[in-house]
Amino acid sequence: MVFLKIVRNAKTPNRNILALPFRRTHSVKLSAAIRQYISTKYDQHPDMFAQDLEAIDHLRADAVTSLEAHVSGIKKLSAYAAQLVWIGGKFPIDVSPVLVLLKPFKERSCLAHLADNLGLKRLGLISCGIQHWDSVHNEGVGFREHLEGLGLILIVSQNNLRFELANILFNLASLFSQLALSTNRSTSDGLKSAYNYFCQAAGVLNYLKTEIIPDLRSTPPDDMDLMTLESLEQLMLAQAQECFWSRAVKDGYKDLLISKLAAKVSDFYDLSAENGTKSDTISTEWIHHMTAKHHHFAAAAQYRAACDCLEKRKYGEEIARLRDSIVCVNEALKESRWINRIVLGDLNGLKTKVSEDLKRAEKDNDVIYLMPVPPKSELKTLDRASMATAKKPTDISDPSTSLGGRGIYGQPLFSKLVPYAVHVAASIYAERKDRLVKTSVIDELEGMTNQLRDLLQSLNLPGSLQALEKPLGLPVSLKSHAEEFRQQDGLHRLRRFMHDVEMLKKGDHDTYQEGVEFIRSEAMEDDHFKVKYGTDRWTRQQSQLAAERLYAQVGEIDGYLKSANSSDDLVRGKLKECESVLKILEGSDRGLEEYVPSSRRTAMPPELQRESTQLRTIINEVNRLESRRRRKAESIREKAKADDINPAILTETARLEREFPMQKIEAAQFEDLFEKQLERYNDDRMMINDEREEQDQLSSQLKEANRSFVIARRGDSSSRDRETALQSLENAYTKYKEIIQNLDTGRKFYNDLSKIVNRFRDDAKNFAYKRRQEAKQIESDLTTPMSSLSLSQTSNLQDQKQRETLRSHYNTKAPTHEPLTAPIPTRAPVQPPPVASPPLPQNPVPAAGAAAGAGAAPEPPTVSATGIWNPNLGIKFGGTQPVGPPITTPQAQSHNNNNNINNRNENGNGTNEPIAIDSERIHNPTYPNTRSGAGRLSNQAFQAGQWDPNQGLRFG
């Protein structure tokens, strides 16, 4: 929600130091979000932490309502901040009630345009924590007080605990600065207190800048970016150093020490202004204030150094430093348009003092000392004495000093809750364990088994042996395979699995295409706006750069889908190759017997019998090896499933919390525990090597036995057809098992891919929506940039700019002494009456300031009674004429010489009488002194004259 109201401008408060106003928020129950998170993500019941939940709400309510400059607010804000730091190790940063993003920064070009029209810098984004945190830009930084003058609010909420902590810390820094502002700085004790408060404010800002904002895991608000926080930190240090300098002056320290202190104050203000110019938040008025103070204290440092030179009888260096001090004061006075009256008064007072001392020093040196005055380049650079340091809030950054049995902020909340890092660690271990078991054990066993099956198929086993061993009927192994295939409804099962995989694949592809369409449509809209408004006006970031991660995901997911499609084609090819044989295997035993022909041989020779028996023994050993591996794989899966690391992690967590009570628990702290826990799978990994050695030996035996078997039955082709049929059925059964495994892997793949494409689609949809809203706002700004200004407000802005232009013109043309009263334009008559009158005196124009001369009043001019203005006659001005030569402008002088026109006031006797004008009512806002007696020209009349528009106006 955005509230927009424009005022004419905002003034810097009438004080010589600045304070940070508070950020404000709405009332939100943090306990509700934490309760919900505990109940869904943790094994513990939220009722176990009822008191902690109530306490966190109470702490937050106290913290967000402590918005007054009172010392009691320090403990409230610090206690809540310390607890937020503590529970940051218990919960993820996004455990928040609600996410509300109302106005992203890039949608505020209209506001930036309004700010530019008001002579201010861009107005920064209001940052929020878990709830609405309002921040508006007050006289320099976006804060609440300036809202009352500028009337501009932007509210953004984020579900981020770190955002909440950042806002609380900012309010703590604001409280310290306002406490410093409220102290009585006219006393030494008051200056000491203000100094401490400003140092603490700088320390909080430094902690916020270096520790909290980098860990925000989201874009920080504009008034919490690096440049803004650095500028504010330096500002607090500058004001702390200024308080120390003021105390040194008040306590009568030596001039040399005061000079060093003032020089460091100048440095701090210079750094603050330098970083402020790089910030999109710090406004012009604050930057001008910092700049003026920088030059002010540079002048004060040189003045105190000059006083030290006078004491040490370095009269030439004294004059050089006084001159440099005057130069610095004049630089500071260039900011007089923007700084307040107190700072301006301090500068004028310093200039007067330095000017008097410089006049005295130059006179003494010229008359008495006659010492050479060194140029500025030869002056030694002033030394610095830095007394202001940022005091880091250790009670917040290290909660162990403030929480606990002896802590000033009570017991840490949710101390019995298992930290969030424990759950992260458990999930990390589970992922590592599953990956180790699958890749290092299960996949290795299955790979070796597949190698054995490929070897058997290449040797045409066991079909060749079965055809010889059982020349009639069906082998027992074939019958068992056929029975298993029938019970599983194998062929229908394959088709059902393939249909399920295809549906999952289609769903993933459609979801992916939906996300791609969101991105494509957004890019087309952006290109349309670029063509419509031109790239010079439509300057927002390109879609490919604004969503670089999404565009990268487009290629990644497309690669996943293409790779998976290739794998699916291979699986379909396998099924197509063996589908006809699988139909036979699915049929009855009679169909199998018809498919497998009988052999003509009824008896085997002894040598063939011996070789076949040897080969059968090895094949049986292969089958036993496969069965043993299946049992091992299942046993390892059960072992991994029962492997629960949670008790060990909790034990380690208890040890860490006992030995380091306030240290944040991180998943990386359990790496040693992970390594120790995974050592229980070392025996299984070693078993793989034993299995590989055994398989290599068995494969060699199988090849040798098959070679002897083939030699023994050389020349016998009686069972060749039966051998081919049996081997095709065996191969079909093996392919069935392989396809089932492939389809199961594909189903898992597409289920996992579904999560990725759904997240991609949602991210693309959100991106397109945000970009569309952003485009609408920018388009609105480009078409109606001033639509939010009313007519009267626009007129006020134009009037203000005109007055500023005239004022700068008058300031350059006006004399150094008291200016004359500005001439008052009057309407000229349409037709002046034909009354003869003597010409005006043709005297030269006197010098400026001659209007104060004494003498008798001249005869007054007359004015026509008619009140209609004729543009052809121009504009006539009333001028003053003292006794003696009349005062006229050069244009009026020249025109009177040519036309000899008089302004007359007709009366009964036709004489010229003075026009009575009350000088108290004549006032030009450019010259404020025209209302005072010094600027009043009494006992003077006004000289008539006709104005030539081509000649312009000339005053004085």
Side-chain angles (χ1 to χ4, degrees):
M1 183 178 295
V2 177
F3 302 94
L4 185 60
K5 180 175 116 180
I6 301 301
V7 298
R8 297 194 35 186
N9 75 27
K11 299 297 183 183
T12 303
N14 290 322
R15 54 180 180 260
N16 61 350
I17 62 174
L18 301 175
L20 310 181
F22 293 106
R23 309 164 75 85
R24 300 178 185 272
T25 180
H26 304 305
S27 176
V28 173
K29 290 290 186 182
L30 186 59
S31 61
I34 295 178
R35 174 182 289 273
Q36 177 68 20
Y37 196 88
I38 292 175
S39 62
T40 56
K41 301 293 184 180
Y42 291 80
D43 296 333
Q44 297 163 284
H45 198 277
D47 289 343
M48 297 172 56
F49 312 99
Q51 293 182 353
D52 294 338
L53 292 170
E54 183 180 354
I56 195 67
D57 283 339
H58 180 71
L59 286 172
R60 187 180 189 279
D62 288 344
V64 301
T65 55
S66 299
L67 303 179
E68 295 180 356
H70 194 275
V71 292
S72 62
I74 298 176
K75 183 176 180 180
K76 295 177 181 179
L77 288 167
S78 299
Y80 183 47
Q83 292 289 358
L84 286 177
V85 173
W86 161 253
I87 66 175
K90 299 285 186 179
F91 300 101
I93 64 173
D94 59 348
V95 54
S96 314
V98 66
L99 170 62
V100 181
L101 185 58
L102 299 175
K103 271 286 182 182
F105 179 72
K106 293 181 180 179
E107 297 180 8
R108 294 185 307 104
S109 56
C110 178
L111 304 180
H113 175 80
L114 295 174
D116 292 339
N117 279 275
L118 292 176
L120 303 175
K121 293 188 67 174
R122 292 173 65 188
L123 303 176
L125 180 66
I126 307 330
S127 62
C128 301
I130 297 177
Q131 59 297 315
H132 300 307
W133 277 96
D134 304 345
S135 169
V136 292
H137 289 261
N138 169 39
E139 302 129 1
V141 186
F143 301 109
R144 187 73 181 186
E145 279 83 355
H146 192 49
L147 171 62
E148 299 172 359
L150 189 59
L152 185 60
I153 303 180
L154 293 174
I155 301 178
V156 174
S157 300
Q158 289 195 13
N159 54 340
N160 194 320
L161 271 180
R162 287 288 177 178
F163 232 154
E164 171 85 341
L165 178 59
N167 283 280
I168 293 298
L169 289 174
F170 198 98
N171 270 3
L172 182 59
S174 301
L175 177 60
F176 283 132
S177 67
Q178 294 194 26
L179 286 173
L181 185 66
S182 64
T183 56
N184 181 12
R185 296 188 304 281
S186 62
T187 64
S188 295
D189 291 339
L191 288 170
K192 182 179 179 181
S193 298
Y195 163 82
N196 288 326
Y197 284 136
F198 277 129
C199 288
Q200 288 176 291
V204 173
L205 291 172
N206 180 269
Y207 175 65
L208 176 61
K209 177 188 67 176
T210 58
E211 301 292 338
I212 305 303
I213 296 300
D215 194 33
L216 205 57
R217 303 182 191 176
S218 63
T219 303
D222 293 344
D223 48 3
M224 283 189 186
D225 64 345
L226 180 61
M227 291 297 105
T228 302
L229 292 178
E230 181 66 23
S231 177
L232 296 181
E233 180 187 352
Q234 295 300 325
L235 176 62
M236 296 297 105
L237 291 174
Q239 295 180 155
Q241 182 83 4
E242 183 178 351
C243 290
F244 199 95
W245 170 86
S246 298
R247 186 181 179 190
V249 173
K250 182 178 292 293
D251 294 347
Y253 285 26
K254 290 185 177 182
D255 290 322
L256 183 59
L257 177 58
I258 296 176
S259 174
K260 295 178 180 179
L261 293 172
K264 191 59 182 178
V265 175
S266 178
D267 292 346
F268 279 133
Y269 275 118
D270 185 36
L271 289 174
S272 180
E274 180 182 354
N275 287 282
T277 57
K278 300 176 184 178
S279 168
D280 289 335
T281 303
I282 307 295
S283 76
T284 304
E285 288 189 348
W286 273 36
I287 294 175
H288 284 300
H289 174 89
M290 299 168 190
T291 305
K293 299 281 276 188
H294 160 61
H295 293 301
H296 180 188
F297 279 93
Q302 290 289 10
Y303 172 71
R304 287 290 179 169
C307 294
D308 181 68
C309 291
L310 176 62
E311 183 179 351
K312 296 178 180 178
R313 299 182 180 182
K314 299 178 181 179
Y315 304 111
E317 184 178 349
E318 176 197 8
I319 295 174
R321 293 198 180 277
L322 288 174
R323 288 175 180 174
D324 189 56
S325 179
I326 287 290
V327 172
C328 293
V329 170
N330 289 333
E331 287 293 324
L333 287 174
K334 291 180 181 179
E335 314 291 338
S336 59
R337 179 180 174 184
W338 294 277
I339 59 180
N340 60 56
R341 291 177 295 176
I342 296 180
V343 178
L344 184 60
D346 293 341
L347 286 170
N348 288 326
L350 177 60
K351 183 176 182 180
T352 301
K353 179 62 176 174
V354 175
S355 298
E356 292 175 354
D357 285 7
L358 179 60
K359 185 184 298 184
R360 184 265 310 156
E362 290 177 338
K363 180 178 179 181
D364 291 347
N365 192 57
D366 293 341
V367 175
I368 303 173
Y369 307 116
L370 303 176
M371 296 184 67
V373 178
K376 181 180 178 181
S377 59
E378 296 183 4
L379 292 177
K380 180 184 176 182
T381 303
L382 295 177
D383 294 331
R384 268 62 173 169
S386 179
M387 303 304 297
T389 56
K391 297 181 180 179
K392 189 176 181 180
T394 55
D395 56 336
I396 297 175
S397 60
D398 184 11
S400 61
T401 61
S402 57
L403 297 178
R406 300 181 180 179
I408 59 175
Y409 301 143
Q411 294 291 338
L413 300 180
F414 304 101
S415 58
K416 297 181 180 180
L417 181 67
V418 177
Y420 175 74
V422 171
H423 297 268
V424 175
S427 63
I428 292 175
Y429 174 77
E431 181 182 355
R432 291 186 185 180
K433 175 190 63 178
D434 294 340
R435 184 170 61 248
L436 182 145
V437 169
K438 184 177 186 303
T439 60
S440 300
V441 181
I442 304 298
D443 289 350
E444 290 290 336
L445 289 175
E446 291 179 351
M448 288 188 293
T449 302
N450 291 332
Q451 290 176 3
L452 273 178
R453 290 174 179 173
D454 293 339
L455 178 61
L456 289 173
Q457 290 182 11
S458 65
L459 298 177
N460 202 24
L461 294 174
S464 60
L465 185 60
Q466 289 176 346
L468 188 63
E469 290 176 338
K470 192 174 179 58
L472 300 176
L474 297 174
V476 177
S477 60
L478 178 60
K479 288 183 179 180
S480 64
H481 291 164
E483 183 64 24
E484 179 185 353
F485 189 78
R486 295 186 195 112
Q487 289 180 355
Q488 294 179 356
D489 196 7
L491 199 57
H492 182 266
R493 182 187 181 192
L494 287 176
R495 291 169 179 167
R496 186 175 69 251
F497 275 22
M498 295 193 71
H499 179 266
D500 292 343
V501 170
E502 285 295 326
M503 293 301 296
L504 290 174
K505 174 183 175 181
K506 183 177 183 302
D508 292 348
H509 185 269
D510 292 344
T511 304
Y512 165 72
Q513 288 296 331
E514 188 177 352
V516 171
E517 186 61 30
F518 281 127
I519 296 178
R520 184 182 295 113
S521 62
E522 188 281 325
M524 293 176 61
E525 291 175 2
D526 190 59
D527 293 339
H528 168 73
F529 286 121
K530 287 181 181 178
V531 174
K532 182 177 180 180
Y533 295 104
T535 55
D536 56 336
R537 300 179 66 195
W538 194 265
T539 58
R540 74 169 178 172
Q541 196 176 27
Q542 294 182 355
S543 301
Q544 290 81 356
L545 297 178
E548 186 175 359
R549 183 180 61 84
L550 282 177
Y551 276 87
Q553 280 186 323
V554 171
E556 292 177 3
I557 298 176
D558 184 62
Y560 295 154
L561 290 173
K562 289 181 178 179
S563 177
N565 188 61
S566 300
S567 300
D568 295 342
D569 291 340
L570 291 176
V571 173
R572 281 191 291 267
K574 291 180 182 179
L575 179 60
K576 187 176 181 180
E577 290 176 1
C578 63
E579 186 175 7
S580 58
V581 181
L582 289 177
K583 289 180 180 180
I584 298 173
L585 193 63
E586 191 179 29
S588 62
D589 289 345
R590 182 178 181 82
L592 287 175
E593 292 175 354
E594 293 177 355
Y595 178 75
V596 178
S598 299
S599 174
R600 295 190 303 273
R601 182 185 294 275
T602 58
M604 290 187 294
E607 183 180 359
L608 183 60
Q609 179 71 32
R610 184 176 64 254
E611 296 299 335
S612 64
T613 302
Q614 181 67 24
L615 181 61
R616 169 56 61 186
T617 302
I618 297 176
I619 290 178
N620 291 338
E621 187 64 28
V622 170
N623 293 332
R624 285 194 296 270
L625 180 62
E626 290 184 7
S627 299
R628 187 175 73 247
R629 285 178 177 175
R630 283 196 296 269
R631 291 193 299 270
K632 283 186 177 181
E634 188 64 27
S635 174
I636 293 174
R637 289 192 182 97
E638 292 296 329
K639 176 182 176 181
K641 185 177 181 180
D643 184 8
D644 185 10
I645 198 176
N646 285 324
I649 292 181
L650 292 176
T651 302
E652 180 67 12
T653 302
R655 185 188 68 81
L656 292 174
E657 290 183 341
R658 183 173 60 254
E659 297 181 1
F660 312 99
M662 295 304 166
Q663 181 180 357
K664 183 179 180 180
I665 303 298
E666 299 287 350
Q669 294 172 302
F670 301 97
E671 286 294 333
D672 294 339
L673 179 63
F674 294 164
E675 295 296 332
K676 182 179 179 180
Q677 193 78 3
L678 290 176
E679 288 178 358
R680 62 175 60 188
Y681 299 98
N682 288 344
D683 294 340
D684 299 319
R685 298 170 68 180
M686 294 298 295
M687 176 267 297
I688 296 298
N689 296 329
D690 297 338
E691 289 288 333
R692 185 174 289 109
E693 292 178 0
E694 183 180 359
Q695 177 166 320
D696 292 342
Q697 182 179 1
L698 190 60
S699 298
S700 300
Q701 295 176 359
L702 181 63
K703 293 177 183 178
E704 182 64 24
N706 184 71
R707 187 179 65 82
S708 301
F709 175 74
V710 170
I711 293 175
R713 64 185 295 245
R714 183 177 299 171
D716 183 15
S717 59
S718 60
S719 60
R720 185 70 62 187
D721 294 338
R722 180 176 175 84
E723 175 185 337
T724 303
L726 290 175
Q727 188 63 38
S728 65
L729 290 173
E730 188 68 27
N731 291 343
Y733 175 78
T734 304
K735 287 288 185 182
Y736 163 72
K737 288 292 188 179
E738 184 178 343
I739 293 173
I740 287 294
Q741 184 179 357
N742 292 337
L743 290 176
D744 187 60
T745 302
R747 184 167 55 183
K748 291 179 180 179
F749 169 79
Y750 284 117
N751 281 327
D752 294 338
L753 184 63
S754 175
K755 302 175 183 179
I756 298 175
V757 295
N758 281 326
R759 184 165 57 250
F760 166 74
R761 189 265 316 274
D762 294 340
D763 292 344
K765 183 177 180 181
N766 293 334
F767 168 73
Y769 173 77
K770 292 178 181 178
R771 293 275 287 186
R772 191 172 294 113
Q773 295 299 112
E774 179 183 5
K776 289 180 181 179
Q777 182 65 43
I778 297 176
E779 184 179 24
S780 175
D781 298 342
L782 292 175
T783 54
T784 58
M786 296 296 289
S787 59
S788 56
L789 289 177
S790 65
L791 182 61
S792 61
Q793 292 166 341
T794 306
S795 176
N796 290 338
L797 290 175
Q798 295 173 351
D799 293 344
Q800 179 185 0
K801 291 183 177 180
Q802 291 176 0
R803 286 198 303 275
E804 291 174 353
T805 303
L806 289 176
R807 186 178 296 113
S808 62
H809 173 74
Y810 293 148
N811 288 340
T812 58
K813 299 294 184 179
T816 56
H817 53 76
E818 283 295 332
L820 297 177
T821 305
I824 305 301
T826 60
R827 293 185 178 181
V830 178
Q831 295 180 354
V835 179
S837 60
L840 290 173
Q842 304 302 320
N843 295 329
V845 179
E859 291 294 327
T862 60
V863 180
S864 174
T866 178
I868 303 176
W869 173 57
N870 185 355
N872 296 326
L873 296 179
I875 301 175
K876 293 184 179 181
F877 292 87
T880 62
Q881 180 179 354
V883 176
I887 298 174
T888 61
T889 63
Q891 292 80 2
Q893 176 74 20
S894 174
H895 198 74
N896 286 339
N897 290 337
N898 296 328
N899 297 293
N900 195 20
I901 299 175
N902 290 314
N903 231 355
R904 304 179 60 88
N905 181 17
E906 296 186 0
N907 53 22
N909 53 17
T911 60
N912 296 335
E913 298 180 358
I915 302 174
I917 298 179
D918 185 5
S919 62
E920 182 66 23
R921 301 178 60 186
I922 300 174
H923 172 58
N924 185 345
T926 306
Y927 300 102
N929 291 334
T930 54
R931 289 192 182 277
S932 64
R936 191 180 303 166
L937 299 177
S938 59
N939 300 323
Q940 295 179 3
F942 288 86
Q943 171 70 30
Q946 184 173 3
W947 172 59
D948 183 0
N950 296 324
Q951 298 296 328
L953 295 176
R954 186 175 298 172
F955 298 99

